Amino acid sequence: MGIDSGVNVSDDVALYGGKSAFTQLEHNIVAGYLITAGVISLLSNIVVLLMFVKFKELRTATNFIIINLALTDIGVAGIGYPMSAASDIHGSWKFGYVGCQIYAALNIFFGMASIGLLTVVAIDRYLTICRPDLGQKMTMQSYNLLILAAWLNAVFWSSMPVVGWAGYAPDPTGATCTINWRQNDASFISYTMAVIAVNFVLPLAAMFYCYYNVSVTVKRYKANNCLDSINIDWSDQINVTKMSMVMIVMFLVAWSPYSMVCLWASFGDPKTIPTPMAIIAPLFAKSSTFYNPCIYVIANKKFRRAIIGMLRCQTRQRITINTQVPMTTSQQPLTQ
């Protein structure tokens, strides 16, 4: 795309509004993608929020985490996509230094919040299925504290480059801003390693532990034919767990290219990073904003029933919940 080998960008690209290393046609293609993805993401995530407003059966503690995830997607689609698309149409970053700092910080903020919230979902699945004794002790305040911790963690890491730990700057396309991985000094390397460790490796390790134990528990109960002895609505919890696992796998797919770029820049020469990777990595990182709503609907039958009810303009769509056994806090509607 305009450059045959690696990203060999002149210093002018780092200047706000400087000449881009890519052609205007390439910028227009990216802008078209961002506009399309942004519209789809905004509409689909707004539909998800409307589902929670309309159907009180969906307003559980677990699904409240999903609401927060939808808010992170709306944040990226409503703020990040338009600024980046406008700059691509312009051919270079058009919002100056302050706009670059705000744009990059918000994108990192929503990304860090997403992986934090997905970790909370994994913990919820573990407690609900593997440790129902502890899961029943979880209150709405407990869930609120976990969710708040995910947001505060995102605030910390997204604000550090603004105050001087690493930094934000236009990327090689010159039309969007991100962590300044082309200046791989000690500050950038230490920040990148800390972010990857705290917001990538540790969350994924926690998720793997939680879902591995969930898988083992499910297999054990199925083998012993004693699902009825578990104090949960098993069918519903399996659906929610499958949805959560798919979301995490897709999040890993979305953010892995960006992590690879940062690691490459930390331990190698940033100028040797292939051009396609420099372009695709940040686009992949944003892609979860529009496929998450699809995962909610495809992997969870309650969401499917709710969306069908909305499409049919039904005033009421009862979503059956098995009440033959007591429910944990994660299953109970928030209105109860």
Side-chain angles (χ1 to χ4, degrees):
M1 292 180 64
I3 299 179
D4 295 331
S5 57
V7 177
N8 188 6
V9 185
S10 67
D11 292 338
D12 289 339
V13 177
L15 299 176
Y16 301 92
K19 184 179 179 181
S20 172
F22 302 96
T23 68
Q24 187 57 48
L25 175 60
E26 292 163 348
H27 281 300
N28 291 340
I29 292 173
V30 174
Y33 166 81
L34 290 172
I35 292 171
T36 303
V39 171
I40 294 173
S41 179
L42 275 177
L43 293 178
S44 57
N45 280 286
I46 288 173
V47 168
V48 169
L49 295 182
L50 291 176
M51 283 164 46
F52 285 102
V53 172
K54 185 172 184 179
F55 304 113
K56 71 176 183 179
E57 292 86 355
L58 290 176
R59 300 176 213 157
T60 64
T62 301
N63 287 344
F64 185 59
I65 309 172
I66 303 300
I67 293 177
N68 280 263
L69 277 169
L71 292 175
T72 66
D73 293 341
I74 289 174
V76 173
I79 300 174
Y81 279 48
M83 293 179 71
S84 186
S87 294
D88 272 301
I89 293 173
H90 183 259
S92 63
W93 182 254
K94 62 175 298 183
F95 298 100
Y97 173 82
V98 174
C100 181
Q101 303 305 301
I102 294 173
Y103 169 90
L106 286 176
N107 275 281
I108 296 298
F109 167 70
F110 289 123
M112 297 300 100
S114 292
I115 197 168
L117 291 167
L118 287 172
T119 307
V120 175
V121 171
I123 294 171
D124 168 71
R125 296 296 84 211
Y126 172 78
L127 293 176
T128 301
I129 293 178
C130 302
R131 297 297 304 273
D133 55 325
L134 296 178
Q136 292 180 30
K137 297 178 181 179
M138 293 285 289
T139 64
M140 274 310 304
Q141 183 178 7
S142 303
Y143 280 94
N144 288 336
L145 288 175
L146 289 173
I147 292 171
L148 179 62
W151 285 107
L152 291 178
N153 176 72
V155 169
F156 174 80
W157 291 105
S158 62
S159 62
M160 286 299 99
V162 177
V163 299
W165 190 9
Y168 294 130
D171 72 353
T173 69
T176 187
C177 288
T178 185
I179 298 172
N180 189 10
W181 49 264
R182 284 171 293 114
Q183 186 176 343
N184 56 343
D185 55 11
S187 177
F188 167 80
I189 294 174
S190 63
Y191 175 81
T192 300
M193 294 301 98
V195 167
I196 291 177
V198 176
N199 294 286
F200 200 72
V201 176
L202 287 180
L204 288 178
M207 294 175 200
F208 176 81
Y209 174 84
C210 291
Y211 286 118
Y212 172 78
N213 282 278
V214 166
S215 177
V216 170
T217 301
V218 170
K219 291 179 180 178
R220 183 172 69 249
Y221 279 111
K222 283 185 176 179
N224 296 332
N225 294 318
C226 56
L227 296 182
D228 293 338
S229 65
I230 306 177
N231 196 28
I232 56 177
D233 177 358
W234 191 255
S235 176
D236 179 52
Q237 295 306 316
I238 291 297
N239 277 321
V240 174
T241 302
K242 287 180 179 178
M243 177 187 72
S244 306
M245 294 177 72
V246 173
M247 288 165 52
I248 288 169
V249 170
M250 293 304 296
F251 187 91
L252 179 60
V253 170
W255 280 89
S256 290
Y258 189 81
S259 299
M260 291 175 60
V261 167
C262 290
L263 287 172
W264 191 328
S266 297
F267 298 104
D269 184 356
K271 294 181 179 180
T272 64
I273 296 175
T275 302
M277 180 176 288
I279 299 172
I280 293 173
L283 295 180
F284 252 60
K286 296 184 180 78
S287 63
S288 62
T289 61
F290 59 85
Y291 65 62
N292 271 342
C294 298
I295 296 174
Y296 305 152
V297 175
I298 293 173
N300 191 302
K301 61 185 179 183
K302 284 188 176 180
F303 277 78
R304 289 198 298 273
R305 292 173 185 171
I307 194 67
I308 290 172
M310 289 191 64
L311 293 175
R312 292 177 177 175
C313 296
Q314 295 176 356
T315 57
R316 178 68 174 166
Q317 168 93 353
R318 180 66 183 177
I319 303 172
T320 305
I321 294 180
N322 185 351
T323 57
Q324 294 179 348
V325 295
M327 294 183 289
T328 63
T329 300
S330 67
Q331 295 170 272
Q332 295 173 354
L334 300 181
T335 53
Q336 292 185 354

